[in-house]
Amino acid sequence: MKAVRDYYDKRGAEAAGAVGRMVDRVPSIRDRLAAAGVGSSGLTAVDLDSVPVLTKDALPALQRAYPPYGGLVAEGTPVARVFASPGPIYEVQLEGEDPWQWAAALQACGIGAGDVVLNCFGYHLSPAGMMFDLACGAVGATVVPGGVGSVEVQARVVSDIGVTAYIGLPSYLAALVEAFDNLDLPTDRWHVDKALVTAEPLPDALRERLVQRVPTVLMAYGTAEAGLIGHEVEPGAGLEVPDHVFVQVCDPESGVPVLDDSPGEVVVTMVGAGTPLLRFGTGDISRWQLDEGDRLRLGGVLGRVGAAVKARGMFIHPHQAAEVVRGLRDLGVEGGRYVVLRDADRDELRLELVAGSGADRAMVTTAAEERTRASLRVRPRVTFVESVPAGDVLVDAREAI
């Protein structure tokens, strides 16, 4: 695709120049260039492509090697907040009005001054809640920090204070609509007319249901490390890539950029801030596409590579899942595994456990729920089985969407 080549030529050259200017301030980038046999001066886009992709799965080890942030924060950069996502992966928020640069996605959705936004991403340790909180402030909107809480309480908030916009998982927006209706709240108290959704798939059937109650529902895509990577300008037309990131779709095995519309891993280089990224592999699969105006767009998230599994907007790492299961042995659990399923429009995390003859199943269930939520940040549905298959302790059993 000529559009892909043109984009790579232009933005790749810009990214290479920016990386060269950041080398002395970012030790991990300096060392990765050296390991790839690339000099730090006169960098070209071809030089950058010779650097192996840094995977999300590798971040915990990188942060142990370059504590505490993996050498990814430029020296002298003020840090406003520190988050701890599952992994554990420590992520920073820089000072500034909209450090993750999500404002463009909100504006495309029509969210701005005068809007009251229910932000249904978590504020506790994970960065997503604060990401969108700050972005709402940048566009002049009022924020209701709903987080991940009681959907019935949030439905009453929507009714009582005149919420006009929603940010969160698409499945949770569907649950919010259902809760509003089940509570028999007055229909004229539903004022939500726009929603920006992210962190899980938005199938066409779900979007069609949502727009019956929320006329504008747009999808966005980003990560805690890079912030905004792409967002819809109109429904279903692909994701517009903002100027602050250089995005490549790469072969997951070789890391070589894909120059056509074949699927590959989304790889990001971002050097315009104090937390620069060089060839960071998000673990998400996408492809390039052209919209009706022949503008280059990302085709959404089509799947995952790597060990981590994403469910309900949170990454679940196999080693953490295994640690929880092992920890339950003190309660008589003989084995277990986590299975991620899709129930209608919602991800479900099922924890299958093999309980010994003397185990107190009620106690095991309570402990398993508490320990899973504390470690993986997702509530499981605990079931007891006679045995579990040998192999992975974390299985993604969802069908591709």
Side-chain angles (χ1 to χ4, degrees), residues 170-381:
S171 62
Y172 196 80
L173 177 57
L176 183 68
V177 172
E178 182 180 359
F180 189 97
D181 293 343
N182 289 342
L183 291 170
D184 289 328
L185 297 169
T187 56
D188 62 357
R189 300 292 295 171
W190 177 270
H191 300 294
V192 181
D193 60 4
K194 42 196 168 291
L196 183 71
V197 298
T198 186
E200 69 177 12
L202 176 60
D204 290 341
L206 177 56
R207 194 199 297 256
E208 290 172 3
R209 291 211 326 269
L210 292 175
V211 297
Q212 295 177 15
R213 295 292 292 273
V214 184
T216 300
V217 178
L218 294 183
M219 189 75 178
Y221 165 57
T223 71
E225 297 79 16
L228 175 65
I229 294 175
H231 65 90
E232 286 185 329
V233 176
E234 56 184 276
L239 306 177
E240 179 179 282
V241 177
D243 291 338
H244 72 274
V245 292
F246 171 44
V247 174
Q248 295 175 299
V249 174
C250 296
D251 181 280
E253 297 296 327
S254 68
V256 174
V258 174
L259 297 178
D260 55 21
D261 60 355
S262 300
E265 181 179 11
V266 177
V267 175
V268 173
T269 295
M270 183 186 73
V271 290
T275 54
L277 296 172
L278 169 59
R279 297 265 289 166
F280 172 71
T282 63
D284 296 313
I285 295 293
S286 189
R287 60 161 50 97
W288 290 113
Q289 65 180 51
L290 299 176
D291 67 7
E292 292 183 356
D294 288 334
R295 292 171 293 246
L296 193 63
R297 299 287 187 258
L298 276 177
V301 176
L302 308 177
R304 287 282 304 167
V305 297
V309 174
K310 196 172 189 179
R312 298 189 196 170
M314 298 297 295
F315 283 101
I316 302 173
H317 295 263
H319 71 273
Q320 288 185 298
E323 287 173 3
V324 175
V325 173
R326 281 196 301 269
L328 293 171
R329 292 185 182 278
D330 61 356
L331 298 177
V333 171
E334 298 177 350
R337 67 172 186 166
Y338 288 93
V339 181
V340 183
L341 303 164
R342 191 78 174 171
D343 182 9
D345 301 318
R346 183 177 175 82
D347 291 336
E348 177 184 291
L349 181 64
R350 185 172 69 201
L351 175 52
E352 299 176 347
L353 296 175
V354 179
S357 59
D360 183 329
R361 294 195 174 195
M363 183 180 296
V364 169
T365 299
T366 299
E369 290 175 345
E370 292 176 350
R371 296 179 191 183
T372 300
R373 292 199 67 187
S375 181
L376 309 184
R377 316 280 180 82
V378 180
R379 183 190 296 276
R381 180 168 66 85

Side-chain angles (χ1 to χ4, degrees), residues 84-107:
S85 291
I89 298 173
Y90 297 105
E91 292 139 342
V92 301
Q93 173 203 318
L94 303 185
E95 294 181 345
E97 183 180 58
D98 181 24
W100 285 286
Q101 304 193 60
W102 284 93
L106 271 64
Q107 290 167 335

